[in-house]
Amino acid sequence: MCNRAEKLNVKTYNKVVDKHADGLYRFAYSMCKNEDDAQDAVQDAFSKLWERKDQVNQEKVKSYLFTTVHNKMIDLFRKNSKYSSVEVHENAAVSQSISPDLQEVLHSALNTLPEIQKSVILLRDYEGYDYNEIAEITDLSLSQVKVYIFRARKKLKSYIGSLDLVI
């Protein structure tokens, strides 16, 4: 990527886009299940990065981008009532009974989680961030991150139940 002393120019910016766009999109789409909203969040993140190219620590570009997408998704959840946990849970139960594919069940289970738990699980288990990076991205303390991940995994396990029933 780019060194700390190196400024973010067009060439390095394009490398950052190539390197992180897919991961950012997967993260955003996993949270909202809406292609347009996910694309908007990713585009917004890259836009903000370019606007703040002189202020962003070049070693933390990835964290900056994921933080921006995370915040955009949280704002979207708060603004849009169709993402309420009650409605998502009802939809998850319906989709599970129609298509008991393991991946669908996992996505349905994720959709039952509160936004913050879903975010930390996606960052940890889908994107591979460590606890300290997740704390930085979500602006939570390290202990809060650990608690949210523990609770999310517990809810996922409870929702999915035994894998024998799923497969």
Side-chain angles (χ1 to χ4, degrees):
M1 188 160 42
C2 24
N3 296 331
R4 185 171 215 183
E6 187 178 341
K7 287 195 176 205
L8 189 65
N9 57 34
V10 173
K11 184 178 177 181
T12 54
Y13 175 80
N14 287 335
K15 285 181 183 178
V16 167
V17 170
D18 290 342
K19 185 174 183 177
H20 299 297
D22 290 340
L24 285 169
Y25 177 79
R26 276 192 317 272
F27 174 63
Y29 184 78
S30 294
M31 288 188 71
C32 69
K33 297 293 185 222
N34 181 299
E35 290 180 14
D36 292 334
D37 289 342
Q39 289 171 350
D40 287 347
V42 172
Q43 183 175 353
D44 188 51
F46 284 118
S47 236
K48 288 182 179 182
L49 174 63
W50 184 252
E51 290 169 5
R52 295 172 177 86
K53 64 183 181 276
D54 296 329
Q55 299 150 1
V56 176
N57 180 340
Q58 299 307 312
E59 294 173 355
K60 304 228 179 207
V61 167
K62 184 178 177 183
S63 290
Y64 176 83
L65 290 168
F66 274 89
T67 300
T68 304
V69 169
H70 172 264
N71 291 338
K72 179 81 171 178
M73 291 291 100
I74 296 298
D75 290 345
L76 180 68
F77 286 132
R78 289 180 180 152
K79 185 173 99 174
N80 193 346
S81 65
K82 75 178 180 179
Y83 291 110
S84 71
S85 60
V86 173
E87 188 172 324
V88 169
H89 183 68
E90 290 170 1
N91 291 340
V94 169
S95 68
Q96 183 178 358
S97 65
I98 294 171
S99 172
D101 176 50
L102 181 58
Q103 187 173 4
E104 182 66 30
V105 172
L106 291 173
H107 287 294
S108 296
L110 273 173
N111 287 334
T112 65
L113 298 175
E115 303 121 30
I116 191 64
Q117 289 180 4
K118 186 175 181 180
S119 294
V120 295
I121 282 291
L122 289 171
L123 288 168
R124 176 73 180 149
D125 295 337
Y126 281 67
E127 298 300 328
Y129 279 102
D130 67 31
Y131 292 113
N132 290 322
E133 291 172 319
I134 295 169
E136 185 179 322
I137 289 170
T138 58
D139 201 26
L140 297 169
S141 71
L142 183 60
S143 61
Q144 286 174 310
V145 168
K146 290 178 181 180
V147 167
Y148 282 133
I149 289 174
F150 173 79
R151 289 178 182 165
R153 287 181 176 156
K154 191 173 175 180
K155 283 183 184 179
L156 290 172
K157 184 177 177 181
S158 169
Y159 182 87
I160 293 172
S162 168
L163 282 180
D164 295 336
L165 300 175
V166 175
I167 296 177

